[in-house]
Amino acid sequence: MSESSSEQQSSDISQLPNAKTVAPPQEPNQTQMSAGNTVLSFLSSVFTVIFRLGLLTVGSGLALVVGMAIATIRPAEVTDEPPLLETVVQQFDRIRSYKIKP
């Protein structure tokens, strides 16, 4: 069985075109690229950045609206403790105002 398969493979290989007759594809170099391709590439990059900034803006706005809706529906409980942000700012001010005595 292996002899017939090896004979079949050798006959298949002989039917393939010779590698010397097939020319490899050529890559365009910088001198062959036109100015139109460069401008198109630049415009594509600009539109991509604008589109991504638009997505970021829409996503941020949606998150803000959803957050405000949740805060309206379920407000935080009132406690005697100051908010976390205010506590952090007060501690930061204390650290900044601390002076080392010589």
Side-chain angles (χ1 to χ4, degrees):
M1 186 129 200
S2 65
E3 290 178 22
S4 63
S5 64
S6 63
E7 288 174 11
Q8 186 179 15
Q9 286 178 353
S10 64
S11 65
D12 289 342
I13 292 173
S14 64
Q15 293 175 357
L16 293 174
N18 207 356
K20 294 177 184 176
T21 60
V22 177
Q26 295 181 354
E27 301 270 336
N29 57 20
Q30 290 290 3
T31 58
Q32 292 175 340
M33 291 184 68
S34 66
N37 287 343
T38 306
V39 171
L40 184 63
S41 175
F42 174 74
L43 287 176
S44 175
S45 299
V46 168
F47 287 133
T48 300
V49 168
I50 290 172
F51 181 74
R52 288 182 177 180
L53 284 174
L55 283 177
L56 181 65
T57 303
V58 170
S60 300
L62 184 63
L64 178 69
V65 168
V66 169
M68 295 299 276
I70 291 172
T72 303
I73 294 170
R74 292 193 49 139
E77 297 173 0
V78 179
T79 61
D80 293 335
E81 297 178 14
L84 179 64
L85 182 60
E86 189 171 337
T87 306
V88 170
V89 170
Q90 288 173 356
Q91 288 178 359
F92 182 72
D93 286 340
R94 270 191 245 137
I95 291 171
R96 261 188 27 195
S97 64
Y98 180 75
K99 299 194 189 242
I100 300 175
K101 295 180 182 178

